[in-house]
Amino acid sequence: MTSALRTPPARVERVVTDADFLKFREFFYRKTGIHFDENKRYFVDKRLVDRMEATGAANFREYFIGLRFEAEGLELQHLVNSMTVNETYFLREAYQFDCMTNSLMDELATRKRPGEPLRIWSIPSSTGEEPYSIAMQLLERWPGIHLHDVEILSSDIDTQVLQAAQRGVYSARSVANLPKHWLDKYFTRRGDNEWAISRDLVAAVEFTRVNLSDPADTQRFRDIDLVFCRNLLIYFDDVSRRAAAEALYDALSPGGFICLGHSESMSRISALYRVRRFADAMVYQKPLTGEAP
């Protein structure tokens, strides 16, 4: 009795051609508003190949067909999670948090009726460092926190980072900028290189998945008094950047403020906002009803 030796299956070589890249780039842009330049080609190709391997697709065409026609959108979410870059730390660009507690919150509070909450929206949330920084800054440096109800909302398109934010466990590098008494007060040390944030702070932030380019996602955000949208619009092109600025404008209450990243300028994106210069930072404001931008 003899048995034939089986030849092992040939290794599938998955590649992304120039035409594949352009087709995917246009599709991803329509879905998210994020535009990939040619200089991101290696980054995009590697993650596409990783997803092809994870799903068992033999080539880009097979993977892309499945991606486009999957009703539940689960693979698109996996792809979004792999394509978005999330690197941040506590008290990043801290001068804007100082502006919040030294100037913005007092001005916003004067326009509130008794019992009406002040609402702050952090987008993108990334792994939570920004919304938790906002919460700690208010608790430590804004006396009005004892007089007013403040709601903190935080959103991201990436579901994995939202889960990480709700776990609230951070590296020593991430917490390096925090004052020692904040670290001792709001965190518990875990081992040599991890810090877990207070569950009270986790409970104080409402985390939601939001695609800033999807009106169905953003239209539920209204009467927001202060938006932190930092280092997100740099990934958009002019058209999607303008659409995002308009969505944020609609979300803001009259007189509400928006803080952008230090390299971003709302003045180059939209004429809807007016510039406000405070001692700590320059921010952008939705005019009060009846005011011109």
Side-chain angles (χ1 to χ4, degrees):
M1 186 174 182
T2 60
S3 60
L5 292 175
R6 292 186 179 179
T7 304
R11 182 177 180 274
V12 177
E13 187 67 31
R14 297 173 176 90
V15 297
V16 180
T17 67
D18 291 347
D20 294 339
F21 173 76
L22 294 175
K23 185 182 294 185
F24 168 76
R25 182 172 71 173
E26 192 273 335
F27 169 81
F28 199 74
Y29 170 74
R30 282 190 288 105
K31 291 293 186 180
T32 67
I34 297 172
H35 175 75
F36 291 118
D37 292 329
E38 284 288 341
N39 60 10
K40 296 287 187 181
R41 179 66 187 273
Y42 176 78
F43 172 87
V44 172
D45 285 9
K46 185 178 186 307
R47 280 150 184 79
L48 279 173
V49 169
D50 287 346
R51 291 312 305 165
M52 286 185 234
E53 292 176 349
T55 58
N59 51 48
F60 174 83
R61 181 176 182 277
E62 182 180 316
Y63 174 75
F64 192 62
I65 289 172
L67 179 68
R68 289 178 59 199
F69 293 102
E70 182 194 35
E72 298 86 357
L74 296 178
E75 178 53 29
L76 177 60
Q77 186 62 60
H78 283 304
L79 190 60
V80 166
N81 291 355
S82 68
M83 290 287 180
T84 48
V85 178
N86 299 283
E87 183 179 355
T88 186
Y89 48 87
F90 285 94
L91 293 183
R92 185 177 187 179
E93 298 181 20
Y95 62 91
Q96 291 184 333
F97 299 128
D98 291 337
C99 184
M100 174 181 70
T101 48
N102 291 337
S103 304
L104 303 183
M105 295 301 289
D106 286 339
E107 180 173 325
L108 290 167
T110 62
R111 294 196 285 271
K112 292 295 178 181
R113 296 187 294 271
E116 190 176 11
L118 287 151
R119 307 185 76 215
I120 301 173
W121 187 19
S122 166
I123 180 171
S125 86
S126 187
T127 45
E129 286 91 337
E130 180 171 278
Y132 294 139
S133 292
I134 292 169
M136 288 185 287
Q137 178 85 9
L138 290 170
L139 288 166
E140 294 294 322
R141 294 181 176 170
W142 188 51
I145 193 67
H146 303 293
L147 304 174
H148 300 278
D149 180 23
V150 178
E151 297 177 359
I152 302 176
L153 315 174
S154 193
S155 307
D156 206 289
I157 195 172
D158 185 335
T159 55
Q160 289 180 338
V161 298
L162 288 170
Q163 291 169 5
Q166 290 171 301
R167 284 195 301 272
V169 178
Y170 299 96
S171 68
R173 177 188 175 279
S174 183
V175 302
N177 285 356
L178 288 172
K180 185 180 184 305
H181 70 280
W182 291 23
L183 195 60
D184 294 340
K185 184 175 181 179
Y186 296 107
F187 292 80
T188 301
R189 188 161 191 166
R190 288 187 177 180
D192 294 333
N193 196 44
E194 284 190 341
W195 296 82
I197 201 163
S198 158
R199 300 316 294 175
D200 289 339
L201 279 186
V202 175
V205 180
E206 180 183 341
F207 290 98
T208 57
R209 181 199 173 276
V210 168
N211 180 351
L212 191 54
S213 295
D214 186 348
D217 280 0
T218 58
Q219 65 185 3
R220 67 180 186 269
F221 290 86
R222 293 294 183 268
D223 301 319
I224 304 296
D225 298 296
L226 175 58
V227 172
F228 283 84
C229 183
R230 307 191 298 176
N231 307 308
L232 172 63
L233 301 183
I234 55 175
Y235 297 103
F236 292 3
D237 72 349
D238 289 343
V239 175
S240 56
R241 199 175 289 130
R242 191 176 305 111
E246 291 171 0
L248 294 171
Y249 183 89
D250 290 340
L252 281 168
S253 58
F257 297 103
I258 181 167
C259 297
L260 299 182
H262 72 275
S263 64
E264 300 169 305
S265 171
M266 188 63 81
S267 302
R268 294 197 294 266
I269 301 171
S270 171
L272 292 171
Y273 299 82
R274 63 172 178 158
V275 177
R276 290 287 305 277
R277 291 179 171 83
F278 293 93
D280 297 296
M282 181 182 76
V283 301
Y284 301 91
Q285 185 176 32
K286 178 177 180 174
L288 290 163
T289 303
E291 284 186 341

PDB file of all heavy atoms in Angstrom, residues 6-34:
ATOM      1  N   ARG A   6       1.822  14.652  -0.316  1.00  0.00           N
ATOM      2  CA  ARG A   6       1.054  15.843  -0.698  1.00  0.00           C
ATOM      3  C   ARG A   6       1.981  17.054  -0.769  1.00  0.00           C
ATOM      4  O   ARG A   6       2.773  17.288   0.140  1.00  0.00           O
ATOM      5  CB  ARG A   6      -0.059  16.116   0.313  1.00  0.00           C
ATOM      6  CG  ARG A   6      -1.150  15.046   0.285  1.00  0.00           C
ATOM      7  CD  ARG A   6      -2.280  15.443   1.205  1.00  0.00           C
ATOM      8  NE  ARG A   6      -3.353  14.473   1.183  1.00  0.00           N
ATOM      9  CZ  ARG A   6      -4.468  14.579   1.916  1.00  0.00           C
ATOM     10  NH1 ARG A   6      -4.618  15.620   2.717  1.00  0.00           N
ATOM     11  NH2 ARG A   6      -5.414  13.655   1.823  1.00  0.00           N
ATOM     12  N   THR A   7       1.833  17.803  -1.814  1.00  0.00           N
ATOM     13  CA  THR A   7       2.600  19.042  -1.953  1.00  0.00           C
ATOM     14  C   THR A   7       1.924  20.122  -1.127  1.00  0.00           C
ATOM     15  O   THR A   7       0.715  20.340  -1.266  1.00  0.00           O
ATOM     16  CB  THR A   7       2.654  19.493  -3.427  1.00  0.00           C
ATOM     17  OG1 THR A   7       3.196  18.429  -4.187  1.00  0.00           O
ATOM     18  CG2 THR A   7       3.489  20.749  -3.571  1.00  0.00           C
ATOM     19  N   PRO A   8       2.660  20.760  -0.248  1.00  0.00           N
ATOM     20  CA  PRO A   8       2.033  21.806   0.564  1.00  0.00           C
ATOM     21  C   PRO A   8       1.509  22.935  -0.319  1.00  0.00           C
ATOM     22  O   PRO A   8       2.088  23.225  -1.369  1.00  0.00           O
ATOM     23  CB  PRO A   8       3.179  22.297   1.466  1.00  0.00           C
ATOM     24  CG  PRO A   8       4.421  21.885   0.770  1.00  0.00           C
ATOM     25  CD  PRO A   8       4.096  20.633   0.034  1.00  0.00           C
ATOM     26  N   PRO A   9       0.387  23.540   0.066  1.00  0.00           N
ATOM     27  CA  PRO A   9      -0.168  24.617  -0.757  1.00  0.00           C
ATOM     28  C   PRO A   9       0.810  25.774  -0.879  1.00  0.00           C
ATOM     29  O   PRO A   9       1.545  26.092   0.058  1.00  0.00           O
ATOM     30  CB  PRO A   9      -1.433  25.041   0.018  1.00  0.00           C
ATOM     31  CG  PRO A   9      -1.199  24.590   1.431  1.00  0.00           C
ATOM     32  CD  PRO A   9      -0.372  23.344   1.320  1.00  0.00           C
ATOM     33  N   ALA A  10       0.818  26.348  -2.054  1.00  0.00           N
ATOM     34  CA  ALA A  10       1.712  27.483  -2.294  1.00  0.00           C
ATOM     35  C   ALA A  10       1.287  28.675  -1.431  1.00  0.00           C
ATOM     36  O   ALA A  10       0.092  28.899  -1.210  1.00  0.00           O
ATOM     37  CB  ALA A  10       1.680  27.867  -3.780  1.00  0.00           C
ATOM     38  N   ARG A  11       2.245  29.394  -0.949  1.00  0.00           N
ATOM     39  CA  ARG A  11       1.956  30.569  -0.134  1.00  0.00           C
ATOM     40  C   ARG A  11       1.343  31.653  -1.006  1.00  0.00           C
ATOM     41  O   ARG A  11       1.853  31.971  -2.078  1.00  0.00           O
ATOM     42  CB  ARG A  11       3.251  31.082   0.509  1.00  0.00           C
ATOM     43  CG  ARG A  11       3.045  32.279   1.427  1.00  0.00           C
ATOM     44  CD  ARG A  11       4.354  32.673   2.070  1.00  0.00           C
ATOM     45  NE  ARG A  11       4.169  33.811   2.956  1.00  0.00           N
ATOM     46  CZ  ARG A  11       4.214  35.066   2.542  1.00  0.00           C
ATOM     47  NH1 ARG A  11       4.440  35.347   1.273  1.00  0.00           N
ATOM     48  NH2 ARG A  11       4.051  36.061   3.417  1.00  0.00           N
ATOM     49  N   VAL A  12       0.225  32.177  -0.557  1.00  0.00           N
ATOM     50  CA  VAL A  12      -0.465  33.217  -1.318  1.00  0.00           C
ATOM     51  C   VAL A  12       0.270  34.538  -1.125  1.00  0.00           C
ATOM     52  O   VAL A  12       0.487  34.981   0.018  1.00  0.00           O
ATOM     53  CB  VAL A  12      -1.931  33.349  -0.866  1.00  0.00           C
ATOM     54  CG1 VAL A  12      -2.607  34.493  -1.614  1.00  0.00           C
ATOM     55  CG2 VAL A  12      -2.672  32.048  -1.098  1.00  0.00           C
ATOM     56  N   GLU A  13       0.678  35.143  -2.210  1.00  0.00           N
ATOM     57  CA  GLU A  13       1.364  36.432  -2.145  1.00  0.00           C
ATOM     58  C   GLU A  13       0.334  37.529  -2.396  1.00  0.00           C
ATOM     59  O   GLU A  13      -0.149  37.710  -3.508  1.00  0.00           O
ATOM     60  CB  GLU A  13       2.467  36.495  -3.211  1.00  0.00           C
ATOM     61  CG  GLU A  13       3.348  37.735  -3.112  1.00  0.00           C
ATOM     62  CD  GLU A  13       4.203  37.752  -1.850  1.00  0.00           C
ATOM     63  OE1 GLU A  13       4.577  36.670  -1.361  1.00  0.00           O
ATOM     64  OE2 GLU A  13       4.496  38.858  -1.358  1.00  0.00           O
ATOM     65  N   ARG A  14      -0.038  38.220  -1.353  1.00  0.00           N
ATOM     66  CA  ARG A  14      -1.057  39.262  -1.466  1.00  0.00           C
ATOM     67  C   ARG A  14      -0.374  40.605  -1.689  1.00  0.00           C
ATOM     68  O   ARG A  14       0.480  41.001  -0.903  1.00  0.00           O
ATOM     69  CB  ARG A  14      -1.922  39.301  -0.210  1.00  0.00           C
ATOM     70  CG  ARG A  14      -2.715  38.008   0.032  1.00  0.00           C
ATOM     71  CD  ARG A  14      -3.421  38.054   1.372  1.00  0.00           C
ATOM     72  NE  ARG A  14      -4.267  36.877   1.594  1.00  0.00           N
ATOM     73  CZ  ARG A  14      -3.863  35.761   2.166  1.00  0.00           C
ATOM     74  NH1 ARG A  14      -2.593  35.629   2.554  1.00  0.00           N
ATOM     75  NH2 ARG A  14      -4.700  34.745   2.337  1.00  0.00           N
ATOM     76  N   VAL A  15      -0.758  41.285  -2.731  1.00  0.00           N
ATOM     77  CA  VAL A  15      -0.154  42.572  -3.061  1.00  0.00           C
ATOM     78  C   VAL A  15      -1.257  43.592  -3.310  1.00  0.00           C
ATOM     79  O   VAL A  15      -2.399  43.239  -3.601  1.00  0.00           O
ATOM     80  CB  VAL A  15       0.763  42.477  -4.305  1.00  0.00           C
ATOM     81  CG1 VAL A  15       1.934  41.554  -4.053  1.00  0.00           C
ATOM     82  CG2 VAL A  15      -0.035  42.021  -5.516  1.00  0.00           C
ATOM     83  N   VAL A  16      -0.897  44.842  -3.187  1.00  0.00           N
ATOM     84  CA  VAL A  16      -1.807  45.947  -3.473  1.00  0.00           C
ATOM     85  C   VAL A  16      -1.192  46.747  -4.623  1.00  0.00           C
ATOM     86  O   VAL A  16      -0.122  47.339  -4.465  1.00  0.00           O
ATOM     87  CB  VAL A  16      -2.012  46.849  -2.237  1.00  0.00           C
ATOM     88  CG1 VAL A  16      -2.962  48.004  -2.556  1.00  0.00           C
ATOM     89  CG2 VAL A  16      -2.539  46.033  -1.054  1.00  0.00           C
ATOM     90  N   THR A  17      -1.842  46.741  -5.770  1.00  0.00           N
ATOM     91  CA  THR A  17      -1.323  47.460  -6.927  1.00  0.00           C
ATOM     92  C   THR A  17      -1.654  48.950  -6.819  1.00  0.00           C
ATOM     93  O   THR A  17      -2.432  49.381  -5.953  1.00  0.00           O
ATOM     94  CB  THR A  17      -1.936  46.906  -8.223  1.00  0.00           C
ATOM     95  OG1 THR A  17      -3.340  47.220  -8.242  1.00  0.00           O
ATOM     96  CG2 THR A  17      -1.740  45.395  -8.325  1.00  0.00           C
ATOM     97  N   ASP A  18      -1.086  49.734  -7.733  1.00  0.00           N
ATOM     98  CA  ASP A  18      -1.398  51.169  -7.765  1.00  0.00           C
ATOM     99  C   ASP A  18      -2.891  51.393  -7.952  1.00  0.00           C
ATOM    100  O   ASP A  18      -3.494  52.252  -7.294  1.00  0.00           O
ATOM    101  CB  ASP A  18      -0.637  51.843  -8.906  1.00  0.00           C
ATOM    102  CG  ASP A  18       0.864  51.889  -8.657  1.00  0.00           C
ATOM    103  OD1 ASP A  18       1.292  51.620  -7.504  1.00  0.00           O
ATOM    104  OD2 ASP A  18       1.623  52.181  -9.603  1.00  0.00           O
ATOM    105  N   ALA A  19      -3.501  50.625  -8.858  1.00  0.00           N
ATOM    106  CA  ALA A  19      -4.938  50.765  -9.107  1.00  0.00           C
ATOM    107  C   ALA A  19      -5.749  50.366  -7.873  1.00  0.00           C
ATOM    108  O   ALA A  19      -6.762  51.000  -7.542  1.00  0.00           O
ATOM    109  CB  ALA A  19      -5.352  49.912 -10.309  1.00  0.00           C
ATOM    110  N   ASP A  20      -5.294  49.311  -7.163  1.00  0.00           N
ATOM    111  CA  ASP A  20      -5.972  48.888  -5.938  1.00  0.00           C
ATOM    112  C   ASP A  20      -5.926  50.000  -4.891  1.00  0.00           C
ATOM    113  O   ASP A  20      -6.927  50.297  -4.225  1.00  0.00           O
ATOM    114  CB  ASP A  20      -5.305  47.636  -5.358  1.00  0.00           C
ATOM    115  CG  ASP A  20      -5.440  46.412  -6.239  1.00  0.00           C
ATOM    116  OD1 ASP A  20      -6.354  46.384  -7.090  1.00  0.00           O
ATOM    117  OD2 ASP A  20      -4.623  45.491  -6.070  1.00  0.00           O
ATOM    118  N   PHE A  21      -4.748  50.588  -4.742  1.00  0.00           N
ATOM    119  CA  PHE A  21      -4.578  51.650  -3.754  1.00  0.00           C
ATOM    120  C   PHE A  21      -5.521  52.816  -4.034  1.00  0.00           C
ATOM    121  O   PHE A  21      -6.182  53.332  -3.122  1.00  0.00           O
ATOM    122  CB  PHE A  21      -3.129  52.136  -3.746  1.00  0.00           C
ATOM    123  CG  PHE A  21      -2.891  53.348  -2.875  1.00  0.00           C
ATOM    124  CD1 PHE A  21      -2.835  53.223  -1.492  1.00  0.00           C
ATOM    125  CD2 PHE A  21      -2.742  54.604  -3.442  1.00  0.00           C
ATOM    126  CE1 PHE A  21      -2.621  54.338  -0.684  1.00  0.00           C
ATOM    127  CE2 PHE A  21      -2.535  55.719  -2.647  1.00  0.00           C
ATOM    128  CZ  PHE A  21      -2.470  55.585  -1.267  1.00  0.00           C
ATOM    129  N   LEU A  22      -5.609  53.237  -5.285  1.00  0.00           N
ATOM    130  CA  LEU A  22      -6.472  54.362  -5.641  1.00  0.00           C
ATOM    131  C   LEU A  22      -7.939  54.024  -5.398  1.00  0.00           C
ATOM    132  O   LEU A  22      -8.714  54.856  -4.920  1.00  0.00           O
ATOM    133  CB  LEU A  22      -6.247  54.759  -7.098  1.00  0.00           C
ATOM    134  CG  LEU A  22      -4.860  55.336  -7.425  1.00  0.00           C
ATOM    135  CD1 LEU A  22      -4.719  55.571  -8.917  1.00  0.00           C
ATOM    136  CD2 LEU A  22      -4.615  56.627  -6.644  1.00  0.00           C
ATOM    137  N   LYS A  23      -8.327  52.793  -5.739  1.00  0.00           N
ATOM    138  CA  LYS A  23      -9.714  52.369  -5.539  1.00  0.00           C
ATOM    139  C   LYS A  23     -10.056  52.343  -4.050  1.00  0.00           C
ATOM    140  O   LYS A  23     -11.104  52.833  -3.632  1.00  0.00           O
ATOM    141  CB  LYS A  23      -9.910  50.980  -6.146  1.00  0.00           C
ATOM    142  CG  LYS A  23     -11.351  50.478  -6.114  1.00  0.00           C
ATOM    143  CD  LYS A  23     -11.445  49.078  -6.699  1.00  0.00           C
ATOM    144  CE  LYS A  23     -11.108  49.079  -8.180  1.00  0.00           C
ATOM    145  NZ  LYS A  23     -11.324  47.726  -8.773  1.00  0.00           N
ATOM    146  N   PHE A  24      -9.139  51.788  -3.254  1.00  0.00           N
ATOM    147  CA  PHE A  24      -9.385  51.741  -1.818  1.00  0.00           C
ATOM    148  C   PHE A  24      -9.389  53.139  -1.210  1.00  0.00           C
ATOM    149  O   PHE A  24     -10.239  53.459  -0.374  1.00  0.00           O
ATOM    150  CB  PHE A  24      -8.326  50.895  -1.120  1.00  0.00           C
ATOM    151  CG  PHE A  24      -8.367  51.057   0.371  1.00  0.00           C
ATOM    152  CD1 PHE A  24      -9.362  50.446   1.117  1.00  0.00           C
ATOM    153  CD2 PHE A  24      -7.441  51.866   1.027  1.00  0.00           C
ATOM    154  CE1 PHE A  24      -9.436  50.625   2.494  1.00  0.00           C
ATOM    155  CE2 PHE A  24      -7.507  52.048   2.397  1.00  0.00           C
ATOM    156  CZ  PHE A  24      -8.508  51.416   3.130  1.00  0.00           C
ATOM    157  N   ARG A  25      -8.451  53.967  -1.626  1.00  0.00           N
ATOM    158  CA  ARG A  25      -8.353  55.315  -1.067  1.00  0.00           C
ATOM    159  C   ARG A  25      -9.657  56.096  -1.272  1.00  0.00           C
ATOM    160  O   ARG A  25     -10.137  56.777  -0.364  1.00  0.00           O
ATOM    161  CB  ARG A  25      -7.183  56.064  -1.701  1.00  0.00           C
ATOM    162  CG  ARG A  25      -6.983  57.463  -1.142  1.00  0.00           C
ATOM    163  CD  ARG A  25      -5.709  58.095  -1.643  1.00  0.00           C
ATOM    164  NE  ARG A  25      -5.785  58.449  -3.059  1.00  0.00           N
ATOM    165  CZ  ARG A  25      -4.834  59.132  -3.697  1.00  0.00           C
ATOM    166  NH1 ARG A  25      -3.722  59.471  -3.053  1.00  0.00           N
ATOM    167  NH2 ARG A  25      -4.958  59.428  -4.963  1.00  0.00           N
ATOM    168  N   GLU A  26     -10.237  55.989  -2.458  1.00  0.00           N
ATOM    169  CA  GLU A  26     -11.484  56.695  -2.752  1.00  0.00           C
ATOM    170  C   GLU A  26     -12.630  56.151  -1.905  1.00  0.00           C
ATOM    171  O   GLU A  26     -13.441  56.903  -1.354  1.00  0.00           O
ATOM    172  CB  GLU A  26     -11.792  56.558  -4.249  1.00  0.00           C
ATOM    173  CG  GLU A  26     -12.900  57.469  -4.761  1.00  0.00           C
ATOM    174  CD  GLU A  26     -14.294  56.848  -4.611  1.00  0.00           C
ATOM    175  OE1 GLU A  26     -14.362  55.602  -4.576  1.00  0.00           O
ATOM    176  OE2 GLU A  26     -15.275  57.596  -4.523  1.00  0.00           O
ATOM    177  N   PHE A  27     -12.685  54.822  -1.754  1.00  0.00           N
ATOM    178  CA  PHE A  27     -13.725  54.190  -0.941  1.00  0.00           C
ATOM    179  C   PHE A  27     -13.604  54.614   0.524  1.00  0.00           C
ATOM    180  O   PHE A  27     -14.598  55.003   1.164  1.00  0.00           O
ATOM    181  CB  PHE A  27     -13.595  52.666  -1.069  1.00  0.00           C
ATOM    182  CG  PHE A  27     -14.423  51.884  -0.088  1.00  0.00           C
ATOM    183  CD1 PHE A  27     -15.770  51.654  -0.317  1.00  0.00           C
ATOM    184  CD2 PHE A  27     -13.848  51.353   1.069  1.00  0.00           C
ATOM    185  CE1 PHE A  27     -16.535  50.928   0.590  1.00  0.00           C
ATOM    186  CE2 PHE A  27     -14.602  50.628   1.971  1.00  0.00           C
ATOM    187  CZ  PHE A  27     -15.950  50.415   1.731  1.00  0.00           C
ATOM    188  N   PHE A  28     -12.393  54.556   1.080  1.00  0.00           N
ATOM    189  CA  PHE A  28     -12.183  54.887   2.488  1.00  0.00           C
ATOM    190  C   PHE A  28     -12.476  56.359   2.744  1.00  0.00           C
ATOM    191  O   PHE A  28     -13.027  56.730   3.789  1.00  0.00           O
ATOM    192  CB  PHE A  28     -10.743  54.555   2.877  1.00  0.00           C
ATOM    193  CG  PHE A  28     -10.522  54.430   4.355  1.00  0.00           C
ATOM    194  CD1 PHE A  28     -10.976  53.309   5.040  1.00  0.00           C
ATOM    195  CD2 PHE A  28      -9.847  55.405   5.076  1.00  0.00           C
ATOM    196  CE1 PHE A  28     -10.771  53.171   6.410  1.00  0.00           C
ATOM    197  CE2 PHE A  28      -9.639  55.280   6.432  1.00  0.00           C
ATOM    198  CZ  PHE A  28     -10.101  54.156   7.106  1.00  0.00           C
ATOM    199  N   TYR A  29     -12.149  57.201   1.793  1.00  0.00           N
ATOM    200  CA  TYR A  29     -12.428  58.633   1.909  1.00  0.00           C
ATOM    201  C   TYR A  29     -13.938  58.880   1.979  1.00  0.00           C
ATOM    202  O   TYR A  29     -14.416  59.660   2.809  1.00  0.00           O
ATOM    203  CB  TYR A  29     -11.819  59.371   0.722  1.00  0.00           C
ATOM    204  CG  TYR A  29     -12.241  60.822   0.621  1.00  0.00           C
ATOM    205  CD1 TYR A  29     -11.725  61.776   1.495  1.00  0.00           C
ATOM    206  CD2 TYR A  29     -13.160  61.235  -0.340  1.00  0.00           C
ATOM    207  CE1 TYR A  29     -12.117  63.097   1.411  1.00  0.00           C
ATOM    208  CE2 TYR A  29     -13.547  62.552  -0.434  1.00  0.00           C
ATOM    209  CZ  TYR A  29     -13.030  63.483   0.441  1.00  0.00           C
ATOM    210  OH  TYR A  29     -13.415  64.789   0.372  1.00  0.00           O
ATOM    211  N   ARG A  30     -14.690  58.213   1.126  1.00  0.00           N
ATOM    212  CA  ARG A  30     -16.148  58.387   1.133  1.00  0.00           C
ATOM    213  C   ARG A  30     -16.757  57.921   2.446  1.00  0.00           C
ATOM    214  O   ARG A  30     -17.736  58.492   2.931  1.00  0.00           O
ATOM    215  CB  ARG A  30     -16.788  57.627  -0.032  1.00  0.00           C
ATOM    216  CG  ARG A  30     -16.660  58.313  -1.375  1.00  0.00           C
ATOM    217  CD  ARG A  30     -17.515  57.661  -2.449  1.00  0.00           C
ATOM    218  NE  ARG A  30     -16.989  56.371  -2.879  1.00  0.00           N
ATOM    219  CZ  ARG A  30     -17.507  55.199  -2.542  1.00  0.00           C
ATOM    220  NH1 ARG A  30     -18.570  55.136  -1.756  1.00  0.00           N
ATOM    221  NH2 ARG A  30     -16.980  54.070  -2.986  1.00  0.00           N
ATOM    222  N   LYS A  31     -16.182  56.893   3.029  1.00  0.00           N
ATOM    223  CA  LYS A  31     -16.734  56.338   4.268  1.00  0.00           C
ATOM    224  C   LYS A  31     -16.333  57.131   5.509  1.00  0.00           C
ATOM    225  O   LYS A  31     -17.087  57.186   6.481  1.00  0.00           O
ATOM    226  CB  LYS A  31     -16.281  54.884   4.432  1.00  0.00           C
ATOM    227  CG  LYS A  31     -16.890  53.924   3.415  1.00  0.00           C
ATOM    228  CD  LYS A  31     -18.383  53.761   3.615  1.00  0.00           C
ATOM    229  CE  LYS A  31     -18.971  52.718   2.708  1.00  0.00           C
ATOM    230  NZ  LYS A  31     -20.443  52.561   2.898  1.00  0.00           N
ATOM    231  N   THR A  32     -15.153  57.710   5.509  1.00  0.00           N
ATOM    232  CA  THR A  32     -14.620  58.310   6.737  1.00  0.00           C
ATOM    233  C   THR A  32     -14.209  59.768   6.622  1.00  0.00           C
ATOM    234  O   THR A  32     -14.019  60.432   7.642  1.00  0.00           O
ATOM    235  CB  THR A  32     -13.383  57.525   7.223  1.00  0.00           C
ATOM    236  OG1 THR A  32     -12.316  57.703   6.276  1.00  0.00           O
ATOM    237  CG2 THR A  32     -13.693  56.039   7.366  1.00  0.00           C
ATOM    238  N   GLY A  33     -14.014  60.274   5.394  1.00  0.00           N
ATOM    239  CA  GLY A  33     -13.479  61.620   5.222  1.00  0.00           C
ATOM    240  C   GLY A  33     -11.972  61.688   5.342  1.00  0.00           C
ATOM    241  O   GLY A  33     -11.376  62.752   5.151  1.00  0.00           O
ATOM    242  N   ILE A  34     -11.323  60.566   5.640  1.00  0.00           N
ATOM    243  CA  ILE A  34      -9.867  60.521   5.797  1.00  0.00           C
ATOM    244  C   ILE A  34      -9.223  60.279   4.440  1.00  0.00           C
ATOM    245  O   ILE A  34      -9.597  59.348   3.724  1.00  0.00           O
ATOM    246  CB  ILE A  34      -9.450  59.425   6.795  1.00  0.00           C
ATOM    247  CG1 ILE A  34     -10.015  59.739   8.186  1.00  0.00           C
ATOM    248  CG2 ILE A  34      -7.934  59.284   6.860  1.00  0.00           C
ATOM    249  CD1 ILE A  34      -9.822  58.629   9.202  1.00  0.00           C
TER     250      ILE A  34
END
